[in-house]
Amino acid sequence: MDFDVIVIGSGFGGAITGCRLAQKNKKVLILERGKEWTKDTYPRNIEDEWIWSNTSPEKYHGWTDLRTFKGMAVITGAGVGSGSLIYANVSAIPPKSVFQAGWPPEITYDEMQPYYSTVGDVLDLQEVPAKQRSPRVQLMQEGAAKLGQVSPRPGRRVL
Ligand SMILES: Cc1cc2nc3c(=O)[nH]c(=O)nc-3n(C[C@H](O)[C@H](O)[C@H](O)COP(=O)(O)OP(=O)(O)OC[C@H]3O[C@@H](n4cnc5c(N)ncnc54)[C@H](O)[C@@H]3O)c2cc1C
């Protein structure tokens, strides 16, 4: 079988790329190393499958790929949907300063704005209502505001 595009990985990056290309009538194959989880098989209990091992995937095929390096640990998803299976559902627009260095010239704060709007629309993002904010979140918010990092007004940076 022939494909116009083969995408490796079905996380936010791969799945959306595959979707947009298919919408443009491209024939797309998405390859995913991990399993497909459903609401019935999704790991919830301690004895469920959680860990993915890149060296023994036949034995450990959970949805969390945790790797430790010198001075750094990295956690990522393994499964259909990948990071979207395990992320914390927080959507925020990075400040302009984030784009000042380290990015290709085409990727700028202004260039990205319409895409943040698209994400906001597709995910139907909502601010967390004030009464649902836990004491821990409120404490973080106050601490960050005191450091001058974010507005004390909740949700300001949420799309
Ligand atoms: C616990 C946690 C919480 C997070 N919370 C948030 C949040 O609240 N808000 C936010 O914006 N971001 C959050 N993130 C970050 C966000 O989830 C990631 O930035 C995002 O998922 C990255 O998407 P990606 O498509 O680039 O990569 P991934 O989602 O990692 O997808 C990569 C995919 O490629 C597959 N793959 C890898 N190698 C192969 C191979 N050789 N063959 C086939 N398939 C392969 C993997 O299995 C995986 O499915 C969180 C991340 C984690 C781990």
Side-chain angles (χ1 to χ4, degrees):
M1 200 178 267
D2 289 333
F3 296 94
D4 298 314
V5 183
I6 298 176
V7 178
I8 300 176
S10 64
F12 285 109
I16 291 164
T17 302
C19 170
R20 296 297 187 216
L21 288 165
Q23 286 171 337
K24 295 283 179 195
N25 295 321
K26 298 288 178 199
K27 209 165 165 191
V28 180
L29 173 68
I30 299 182
L31 298 175
E32 170 54 54
R33 64 179 174 164
K35 292 183 5 178
E36 182 166 10
W37 301 87
T38 69
K39 62 182 170 53
D40 299 320
T41 59
Y42 202 77
R44 286 187 173 81
N45 301 311
I46 194 77
E47 67 275 10
D48 290 343
E49 285 183 274
W50 292 95
I51 300 296
W52 166 276
S53 163
N54 213 38
T55 48
S56 347
E58 71 293 344
K59 204 165 154 197
Y60 299 103
H61 32 68
W63 62 338
T64 308
D65 183 355
L66 173 64
R67 302 190 198 191
T68 50
F69 303 92
K70 201 174 167 196
M72 183 192 289
V74 176
I75 183 166
T76 183
V80 176
S82 191
S84 70
L85 294 168
I86 61 174
Y87 88 127
N89 281 303
V90 176
S91 298
I93 298 176
K96 275 190 173 175
S97 58
V98 167
F99 295 89
Q100 275 163 6
W103 296 91
E106 295 81 9
I107 298 182
T108 64
Y109 177 85
D110 291 333
E111 190 68 31
M112 292 301 290
Q113 296 313 304
Y115 301 105
Y116 293 125
S117 294
T118 303
V119 171
D121 290 343
V122 172
L123 294 180
D124 190 20
L125 295 179
Q126 308 289 330
E127 283 188 18
V128 177
K131 63 181 178 195
Q132 287 183 20
R133 238 168 286 129
S134 66
R136 187 176 59 171
V137 169
Q138 289 174 29
L139 207 61
M140 282 289 287
Q141 215 153 29
E142 284 169 28
K146 280 182 185 164
L147 289 170
Q149 294 299 312
V150 289
S151 157
R153 191 158 70 83
R156 189 177 145 257
R157 304 203 62 82
V158 175
L159 290 171

